Amino acid sequence: MNGEAGELATERLSVDGPSRTRVALLGSGDLSRELVTALQRLGAEVIAVDRYADGALHGIVDRSVVVDLGDNDELAAAIRWLQPKFVVVASEVVATDALTAAADTGFTQLVPGIRGARLAADPEGMRRLASEELGLPSAPYWFAGSVEELREVAQRAGYPMSVKPVGGSLGEGRSVMVRDSDIEPAWQRAVAASASETPPRVLAETVVEFDSEVTLLAVHRDGLDGPALDFCAPIGHRSVEEPNGQLTVEFWQPHPMSAVALDAAKSIAARVARALGGRGLFGVELLVYGDEVYFAGVNVRPYDATLLTLRTQRLSGFELQARGILGLATDAIMVSPGAARLIYSRRRVGTAVETTPDSVAVVADALSVTESDVVVFSHHEGHPRRRLGLALATGPDVAVSRDRAAQVATVLGKLWP
């Protein structure tokens, strides 16, 4: 920090009333808006800690502090000064040694726990934890750091093989190799979609047959009898990349699963959540084939899938996360089937996203669909793959909800031609 008083960008504190539980949010991106609101409604004081002086959430949090999240000394000093009861990691670039120092005080609790915070930036370590330490069912896998290593893996394991970036997301950069000539194109596709600034690495897996990809949201909290877990209804999803490079991710809830498969999914999610420790919300990614369930990954900030729950559940995933953080009672009751389409862009870093002059008219047209809602995201800085808009819809069943969300997305997409 450059100075304690000078670093407070906003402060809206009352001198009267009960003491408020202080929560430091490391990262102030727009997606944490719902979490901030949920925490404040439950009486918490929320402080946004970020490297920007004008972060997206600085207008709604109780305080904002500007520090370099990647600097151990600077971040540790900020946490010591703020003395929060909880530190919520909401950024991919955070100095984990500073988090360890905060947790060692015994006063501050981390969300997720220190293991989850460290592995959030280490997808390879997360996969090894799940498959090698916990023994969760998954496709046979290997990691490769070059085309030559990928070629050696393919020669040893055989075809077909699925290849994707270790640091990627959203289903981008995936390829299926069926012959030697596919190796180099698969490597290049994965590297191009990698979200990591470190030397490129890819995950190669033996292709397993599956019917669907599912996210199971698990809320980890401290209950009266110790740690407790609650599960939301399973969320199905798929990714579609358009010829112009625009990406749309579709979500729907509930995703139909047999009782056997759902029990297996909950067992896998529970083991992962308990191994990562801490409290809050985890998104466990699964591949489902009939009654068989395979572990595919875990997200300690599953905001994309959670956006759907804003309309499908009595308590959204953000509200459940807030309650989990504060140790309050939760329920994951679903009130309506629903679907969402999240629209991304592949624009160059620094390129502004401009809506059309008649944006209000476009939104109005989108909202004419029955039981629909939209979100148009704001952005602090350019990013090669940004969330642009969200189309939401509910209905009497998943099929109707998905059709309505598709209609909304088609109209909303006119904002980004």
Side-chain angles (χ1 to χ4, degrees):
M1 293 185 298
N2 297 325
E4 294 181 0
E7 294 298 335
L8 294 181
T10 64
E11 183 171 357
R12 300 197 308 273
L13 303 178
S14 173
V15 296
D16 301 317
S19 175
R20 303 167 68 194
T21 299
R22 180 171 294 176
V23 180
L25 185 68
L26 306 187
S28 56
D30 196 48
L31 277 182
S32 294
R33 184 180 302 273
E34 296 289 340
L35 175 60
V36 170
T37 301
L39 286 166
Q40 290 174 329
R41 284 175 177 168
L42 296 171
E45 172 195 3
V46 183
I47 303 172
V49 183
D50 211 336
R51 64 185 185 275
Y52 305 116
D54 56 346
L57 302 182
H58 287 191
I60 66 170
V61 294
D62 298 282
R63 299 190 195 182
S64 59
V65 179
V66 179
V67 302
D68 182 353
L69 295 179
D71 186 297
N72 274 300
D73 293 337
E74 194 169 335
L75 180 57
I79 294 174
R80 284 196 305 269
W81 171 54
L82 293 170
Q83 295 188 327
K85 179 64 176 177
F86 301 102
V87 169
V88 180
V89 181
S91 172
E92 296 178 355
V93 184
V94 176
T96 53
D97 287 347
L99 300 181
T100 302
D104 288 344
T105 65
F107 175 78
T108 296
Q109 298 186 51
L110 300 181
V111 181
I114 187 60
R115 193 178 200 185
R118 288 185 180 277
L119 290 179
D122 181 14
E124 187 169 334
M126 187 80 80
R127 184 60 180 266
R128 295 190 187 281
L129 164 70
S131 300
E132 298 174 18
E133 182 176 328
L134 301 180
L136 300 179
S138 66
Y141 68 92
W142 298 263
F143 293 97
S146 66
V147 174
E148 291 71 24
E149 289 183 12
L150 183 59
R151 193 180 307 278
E152 291 176 7
V153 167
Q155 292 173 349
R156 183 169 64 251
Y159 300 107
M161 295 197 75
S162 171
V163 177
K164 62 182 179 181
V166 170
S169 61
L170 308 171
E172 289 188 279
R174 290 185 182 179
S175 299
V176 175
M177 304 188 306
V178 296
R179 59 183 68 86
D180 289 351
S181 59
D182 295 333
I183 295 174
E184 188 159 350
W187 168 265
Q188 295 297 339
R189 181 176 176 83
V191 169
S194 176
S196 175
E197 297 180 357
T198 58
R201 286 181 68 77
V202 303
L203 171 64
E205 298 174 290
T206 297
V207 173
V208 296
E209 191 171 1
F210 65 91
D211 300 319
S212 53
E213 297 177 272
V214 173
T215 296
L216 190 61
L217 298 178
V219 188
H220 201 196
R221 60 183 173 83
D222 284 338
L224 295 177
D225 300 320
L229 278 168
D230 294 298
F231 300 99
C232 300
I235 298 173
H237 56 86
R238 70 184 186 100
S239 301
V240 178
E241 187 167 357
E242 305 295 341
N244 64 0
Q246 190 173 71
L247 177 74
T248 299
V249 182
E250 182 187 14
F251 301 93
W252 58 90
Q253 186 188 32
H255 178 80
M257 296 175 66
S258 70
V260 173
L262 185 57
D263 285 345
K266 289 180 178 179
S267 175
I268 290 172
R271 293 175 65 185
V272 171
R274 290 180 179 127
L276 293 177
R279 55 179 71 194
L281 189 69
F282 299 89
V284 181
E285 306 296 334
L286 306 162
L287 301 178
V288 180
Y289 181 61
D291 290 341
E292 298 178 14
V293 180
Y294 301 92
F295 172 84
V298 59
N299 191 343
V300 298
R301 293 186 294 276
Y303 293 161
D304 290 353
T306 305
L307 288 166
L308 172 58
T309 65
L310 291 170
R311 293 294 175 268
T312 58
Q313 297 185 175
R314 190 186 81 81
L315 297 175
S316 74
F318 300 102
E319 293 170 306
L320 291 174
Q321 183 180 16
R323 291 192 179 203
I325 290 169
L326 300 176
L328 304 176
T330 61
D331 75 60
I333 297 172
M334 198 183 74
V335 295
S336 174
R341 293 211 176 194
L342 192 53
I343 303 170
Y344 290 80
S345 175
R346 188 190 291 276
R347 297 180 185 271
R348 294 183 181 275
V349 174
T351 302
V353 177
E354 297 181 357
T355 57
T356 58
D358 58 345
S359 59
V360 174
V362 171
V363 171
D365 191 14
L367 293 177
S368 67
V369 178
T370 303
E371 294 186 39
S372 66
D373 201 357
V374 303
V375 177
V376 178
F377 295 100
S378 59
H379 307 279
H380 183 274
E381 62 175 2
H383 193 278
R385 178 63 86 190
R386 291 174 291 185
R387 299 169 185 85
L388 300 178
L390 176 71
L392 282 163
T394 53
D397 54 47
V398 166
V400 171
S401 301
R402 291 179 70 177
D403 181 65
R404 289 174 176 174
Q407 294 178 51
V408 177
T410 297
V411 178
L412 192 63
K414 296 177 181 178
L415 293 177
W416 307 282

